């Protein structure tokens, strides 16, 4: 373990930034709710991001040497079984995410090369576009697994670079928006009609209570991913101070950035003119709006239409570059964090010796290899299995919808029990009293539970019973698998809960 290079404050902030902050979240928010999304993003930060970030900061600072991240935190709250089940559900959701992202990562790369998404035309060596992208995805997963298995410093470097690229993309957008605003003499292209503009969506699909609630849930989970950083505690320089400091910095920066960026999209984009057409969707929204921002800036500076279009094309391609490395940064963290949390955090007797063995770089390479094989097999089956496999992939996606949010129920629910422990040094304490701890924990659990319940019943309300079934079945299935596996192994090795 002594060969590990330690992660400093800047690298950690960049890793949190690239894992949590999604550049695409702000254009999606503006597309769905306009300026009204600012209010809901701030509310989501207050009721979810702030308490969860501070809980994780307390967990991490009190357990600075914990290798298992979320598993170690839940175990410290008193139950190995709950820790195992919660972490297994969390890992399962991220495996599904990696299956999806391994294919999605090529979309921004295609945009960088061609100026738009051309992945559906990538038919090579007799393979269909879907099959060829599937092969690329498999090679990508293998490459990331091998690279990440050579040490946490490699993950830190890629994560830091990914965060840096997203930061550059964000700063570039902010600068362009300011230039446009000055060039337009303070006029914003999405007009503000009093206070109502900050509470009512210009999108006709998001003007009902149900649609607004669905957006609130989206806003809450736009702040997800913090828990994955917990597995790096044993690799952080002076973790008792660095970890909570990085959490606080990241929380403030991400919340402010989301609010400012959503407003700035209104400087360069009139909702009805730019986003009202059928050609705009959630998959291309970031590229459409960045391209539009480039064109508008050109016009604001008095450039010719051709020059303005060239700037727009450049912005679309640069967005592809930034989004590509954002995916890369997140992927490197997720290929390692969930499997480490479960394998190294739990009792070693639950696993074979090979799985828990670390390589010379201090990485669970064998376990990561098994995970790589599982992901690659799923990708291969989806890419080459025809329509039946595509349906299976949709089922996997639906199963992951709720599963992604389940860990927060465990983290918040276990927090009061964690706070009761008197044998831990607590260098960082945000929640001072027992009453505050209990109220906030219950409140966060209710918020997350509401999001989960609404996500489950939303497809029922539209008559999509198949999606509803698999959305509910996902966490139940993963939880049952974890429960049965733990129960069998615990009996075999006489483990105490």
């Amino acid at each position: 373990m002594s060969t590990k290079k330690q992660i400093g404050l800047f690298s950690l902030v960049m890793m949190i930034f690239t894992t949590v902050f999604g550049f695409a979240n702000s254009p999606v928010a503006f597309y769905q709710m306009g300026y009204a999304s600012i209010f809901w993003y701030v509310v989501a930060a207050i009721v979810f991001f702030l308490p969860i970030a501070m809980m994780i900061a307390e967990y991490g600072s009190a357990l600075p040497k914990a290798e298992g991240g979320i598993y170690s935190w839940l175990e410290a709250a008193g139950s190995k079984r709950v820790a195992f089940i919660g972490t297994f559900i969390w890992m399962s959701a991220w495996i599904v995410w990696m299956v999806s992202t391994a294919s999605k990562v090529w979309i921004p790369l295609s945009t960088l090369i061609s100026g738009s998404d051309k992945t559906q035309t990538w038919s090579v060596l007799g393979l269909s576009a879907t099959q060829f992208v599937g092969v690329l995805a498999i090679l990508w997963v293998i490459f990331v697994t091998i690279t990440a298995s050579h040490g946490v410093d490699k993950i830190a470097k890629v994560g830091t670079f990914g965060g840096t690229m997203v930061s550059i993309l964000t700063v570039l957008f902010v600068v362009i928006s300011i230039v446009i605003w000055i060039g337009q003499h303070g006029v914003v292209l999405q007009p503000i009609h009093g206070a109502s503009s900050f509470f009512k969506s210009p999108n006709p699909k998001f003007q009902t209570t149900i649609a607004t609630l669905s957006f609130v849930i989206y806003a809450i989970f736009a702040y997800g991913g913090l828990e994955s950083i917990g597995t790096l505690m044993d690799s952080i320089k002076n973790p008792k101070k660095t970890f909570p400091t990085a959490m606080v910095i990241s929380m403030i920066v991400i919340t402010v950035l989301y609010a400012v960026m959503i407003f700035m999209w209104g400087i360069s984009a009139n909702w009805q003119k730019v986003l009202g057409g059928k050609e705009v969707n959630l998959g291309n929204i970031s590229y459409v709006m960045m391209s539009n921002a480039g064109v508008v800036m050109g016009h604001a500076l008095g450039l010719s239409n051709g020059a303005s279009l060239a700037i727009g094309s450049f912005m679309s391609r640069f967005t592809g570059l930034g989004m590509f490395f954002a995916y890369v940064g997140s992927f490197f963290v997720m290929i390692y964090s969930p499997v480490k949390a479960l394998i190294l955090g739990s009792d070693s007797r639950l696993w074979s010796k090979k799985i828990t063995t670390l390589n010379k770089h201090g990485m669970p390479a064998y376990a990561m290899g098994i995970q790589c094989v599982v992901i690659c097999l799923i990708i291969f089956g989806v890419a080459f299995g025809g329509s039946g496999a595509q349906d299976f992939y949709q089922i996997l996606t639906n199963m992951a919808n709720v599963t992604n949010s389940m860990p927060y129920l465990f983290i918040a629910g276990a927090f009061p029990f964690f706070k009761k422990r008197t044998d831990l040094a607590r260098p960082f304490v945000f929640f001072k009293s027992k009453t505050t701890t209990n109220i906030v924990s219950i409140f966060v659990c209710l918020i997350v539970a509401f999001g989960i319940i609404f996500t489950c019943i939303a497809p029922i309300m539209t008559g999509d019973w198949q999606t509803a079934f698999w959305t509910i079945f996902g966490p139940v299935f993963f939880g049952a698998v974890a429960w049965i596996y733990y129960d069998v192994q615990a009996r075999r090795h006489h483990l105490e809960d």
Side-chain angles (χ1 to χ4, degrees):
M1 302 297 285
S2 60
T3 61
K4 283 187 179 180
K5 295 181 181 179
Q6 294 192 307
I7 301 169
L9 179 62
F10 177 76
S11 291
L12 184 59
V13 169
M14 284 293 99
M15 292 178 76
I16 294 173
F17 189 71
T18 194
T19 303
V20 177
F21 179 79
F23 179 84
N25 285 336
S26 61
V28 167
F30 186 82
Y31 175 54
Q32 294 182 328
M33 291 288 288
Y35 293 130
S37 56
I38 296 174
F39 172 76
W40 293 115
Y41 261 63
V42 172
V43 169
I46 294 171
V47 302
F48 176 75
F49 194 33
L50 171 63
I52 282 292
M54 294 304 97
M55 286 180 190
I56 291 175
E58 286 206 31
Y59 276 122
S61 61
L63 300 167
K65 296 182 179 180
E67 289 188 315
I70 184 174
Y71 182 96
S72 300
W73 303 339
L74 297 179
E75 184 184 40
S79 175
K80 292 181 179 179
R81 184 184 297 271
V82 171
F84 187 88
I85 294 172
T87 308
F88 188 91
I89 291 174
W90 176 64
M91 185 184 74
S92 301
W94 282 116
I95 285 178
V96 175
W97 178 87
M98 284 186 281
V99 169
S100 171
T101 303
S103 297
K104 284 182 181 177
V105 74
W106 304 104
I107 295 176
L109 187 64
S110 172
T111 303
L112 168 64
I113 297 170
S114 307
S116 61
D117 177 19
K118 300 290 186 182
T119 55
Q120 293 306 308
T121 66
W122 287 3
S123 181
V124 181
L125 301 175
L127 299 175
S128 68
T130 300
Q131 292 171 341
F132 182 67
V133 171
V135 171
L136 289 177
I138 290 172
L139 294 175
W140 168 250
V141 173
I142 294 172
F143 168 74
V144 173
T145 300
I146 293 173
T147 304
S149 67
H150 280 72
V152 73
D153 58 307
K154 303 295 188 301
I155 297 173
K157 286 177 181 177
V158 176
T160 300
F161 186 71
T164 302
M165 286 302 299
V166 175
S167 299
I168 293 172
L169 182 61
T170 303
V171 170
L172 182 61
F173 165 69
V174 170
V175 170
I176 286 176
S177 298
I178 293 173
V179 170
I180 294 172
W181 186 66
I182 294 173
Q184 294 175 164
H185 307 291
V187 176
V188 294
L189 295 186
Q190 177 60 26
I192 300 174
H193 303 293
S196 63
S197 295
F198 292 92
F199 295 96
K200 184 179 180 181
S201 172
N203 190 334
K205 295 180 180 179
F206 282 84
Q207 294 183 353
T208 65
T209 302
I210 295 298
T212 301
L213 286 175
S214 69
F215 177 79
V216 174
I217 294 164
Y218 171 85
I220 287 173
F221 295 127
Y223 293 105
L226 274 176
E227 74 288 342
S228 62
I229 302 298
T231 52
L232 300 173
M233 286 303 303
D234 59 323
S235 301
I236 297 171
K237 189 184 300 181
N238 190 14
K240 292 181 180 180
K241 181 180 179 181
T242 303
F243 189 72
T245 302
M247 282 290 172
V248 173
I249 292 173
S250 302
M251 180 197 68
I252 294 173
V253 170
I254 290 171
T255 303
V256 171
L257 264 180
Y258 273 145
V260 171
M261 287 179 66
I262 291 170
F263 178 79
M264 284 185 163
W265 285 117
I267 294 176
S268 59
N270 178 279
W271 198 95
Q272 281 73 22
K273 291 182 179 179
V274 178
L275 306 178
K278 294 181 180 180
E279 69 279 1
V280 180
N281 55 58
L282 294 178
N284 65 11
I285 183 68
S286 299
Y287 311 109
V288 169
M289 292 188 70
M290 280 297 280
S291 176
N292 175 73
V295 173
V296 172
M297 183 183 72
H299 290 156
L301 293 174
L303 301 179
S304 67
N305 188 56
S308 298
L309 290 174
I311 295 174
S313 177
F314 169 79
M315 291 309 303
S316 179
R317 292 170 188 270
F318 190 81
T319 302
L321 178 67
M323 297 288 284
F324 174 73
F325 281 108
Y327 276 135
V328 171
S330 296
F331 209 98
F332 265 80
V333 173
M334 294 308 171
I335 202 81
Y336 165 69
S337 292
V339 71
K340 182 195 175 187
L342 187 65
I343 302 300
L344 298 188
S346 58
D347 193 313
S348 60
R349 289 173 291 178
L350 291 169
W351 312 99
S352 69
K353 189 175 181 180
K354 268 189 176 182
I355 290 179
T356 57
T357 299
L358 303 181
N359 65 12
K360 63 181 180 181
H361 304 290
M363 306 294 285
Y366 188 79
M368 291 170 69
I370 293 176
Q371 176 184 251
C372 175
V373 171
V374 171
I375 295 172
C376 290
L377 286 175
I378 296 174
I379 292 173
F380 182 85
V382 171
F384 290 84
S387 60
Q390 296 296 328
D391 292 340
F392 172 68
Y393 173 67
Q394 186 59 50
I395 287 172
L396 277 179
T397 303
N398 293 335
M399 289 172 70
N401 285 342
V402 167
T403 310
N404 275 313
S405 58
M406 290 295 289
Y408 302 111
L409 274 181
F410 288 96
I411 289 171
F415 192 65
F417 300 97
F418 169 76
K419 292 283 281 186
K420 286 181 180 180
R421 288 189 55 171
T422 58
D423 59 327
L424 296 174
R426 301 179 187 271
F428 176 82
V429 177
F430 183 82
F431 301 100
K432 306 292 184 182
S433 70
K434 179 181 178 182
T435 302
T436 302
T437 298
N438 291 339
I439 290 175
V440 172
S441 296
I442 292 171
F443 184 71
V444 171
C445 283
L446 289 175
I447 290 290
V448 177
F450 170 76
I452 290 173
I453 293 170
F454 185 84
T455 303
C456 291
I457 66 173
I460 295 177
M461 298 173 70
T462 60
D464 190 353
W465 292 95
Q466 183 180 21
T467 297
F469 173 79
W470 290 113
T471 299
I472 297 169
F473 182 74
V476 175
F477 172 75
F478 293 132
V481 170
W483 186 293
I484 293 170
Y485 180 86
Y486 184 89
D487 196 56
V488 170
Q489 294 298 99
R491 289 181 181 179
R492 178 179 297 173
H493 298 287
H494 307 290
L495 303 181
E496 295 182 4
D497 190 5

